[in-house]
Amino acid sequence: MPVDPLHSAARPQRSAPGPLTGGAEPGAVEVRRSARRRRTVSAYREGDRTVVLIPARMSEAEEQRWVTTMLDKLAAQESKRMLGDTELAERAARLSGQYLGGRARPATVRWVTNQNTRWGSCTPAEGSIRLSHRLQGMPEYVLDYVLLHELAHLLVPGHGPGFWRLLDAYPRTERARGYLEGVVAADRLPHLPAARSE
């Protein structure tokens, strides 16, 4: 269902402290149930709050599933606003400060279009980080995970226990890895021809 900023008047509202899922940014998530809504679900940002509009008849389990889905859709839409190399470097500096004590200081961080089998790469000797253009449009938490992964390689070159301990600080590591594994698995599925109308 599309993320639609237009909404009808809604009835009871519930706020939950955010983030509930990987797609949410820090702030509250407010769920508004509406008797007027029959099937549609929509979400939009309102300051530091995310508002999710759902039909009143939805169960708690359906509500949680749709909140997760809509937060991820919003995050994906927001990350589609293309980050240039300068913004990417600024993001890397912020992540290094937040999760690695500022110790990882890349000389360059940039997008590349020649990485079709890797999400990112790092050359510690040069201090360079390259991210695949295929990450553009993915949820922000996924981009942040890949950036942190490559930043951690500036401190620990291999994938040993010390490397993974560095990534333990990022709370969405497992979720991001699962997302990327899902993308890879989907790419391996056979592509069925479109159904023909008779």
Side-chain angles (χ1 to χ4, degrees):
M1 295 186 189
V3 176
D4 178 11
L6 300 175
H7 60 282
S8 60
R11 280 225 251 262
Q13 324 175 18
R14 244 171 0 100
S15 291
L20 292 180
T21 69
E25 291 302 313
V29 175
E30 181 180 312
V31 176
R32 295 181 186 169
R33 290 178 173 264
S34 170
R36 292 184 195 176
R37 283 181 179 270
R38 297 286 177 228
R39 289 183 294 217
T40 61
V41 176
S42 62
Y44 61 94
R45 303 279 193 215
E46 191 174 78
D48 66 348
R49 173 182 302 273
T50 302
V51 178
V52 180
L53 306 168
I54 64 171
R57 62 171 176 70
M58 268 192 189
S59 69
E60 293 291 321
E62 288 175 308
E63 173 186 315
Q64 182 58 45
R65 185 175 59 84
W66 275 108
V67 166
T68 300
T69 298
M70 298 312 284
L71 289 174
D72 284 345
K73 283 186 178 187
L74 278 175
Q77 282 183 346
E78 289 164 354
S79 71
K80 279 182 185 174
R81 292 193 280 271
M82 175 83 140
L83 292 176
D85 290 348
T86 301
E87 292 86 2
L88 204 54
E90 290 168 358
R91 190 178 198 111
R94 179 179 53 79
L95 289 167
S96 175
Q98 187 173 359
Y99 296 104
L100 303 172
R103 294 179 297 139
R105 296 186 186 123
T108 61
V109 183
R110 61 189 176 93
W111 294 108
V112 294
T113 57
N114 63 351
Q115 289 192 19
N116 294 316
T117 59
R118 304 166 117 189
W119 297 112
S121 61
C122 174
T123 306
E126 298 172 1
S128 63
I129 291 175
R130 294 159 304 283
L131 296 187
S132 172
H133 70 287
R134 296 178 305 138
L135 289 164
Q136 294 168 352
M138 290 189 186
E140 290 185 0
Y141 73 94
V142 176
L143 174 60
D144 285 352
Y145 163 73
V146 175
L147 258 177
L148 268 171
H149 185 107
E150 301 309 331
L151 286 165
H153 278 311
L154 293 175
L155 304 174
V156 179
H159 288 104
F163 173 83
W164 293 110
R165 272 194 298 277
L166 290 175
L167 289 180
D168 283 345
Y170 184 60
R172 297 177 184 159
T173 291
E174 288 306 313
R175 183 182 177 109
R177 290 182 72 191
Y179 184 100
L180 293 171
E181 287 168 7
V183 170
V184 170
D187 285 346
R188 291 182 181 149
L189 291 174
H191 295 286
L192 300 175
R196 290 186 305 199
S197 56
E198 299 189 19

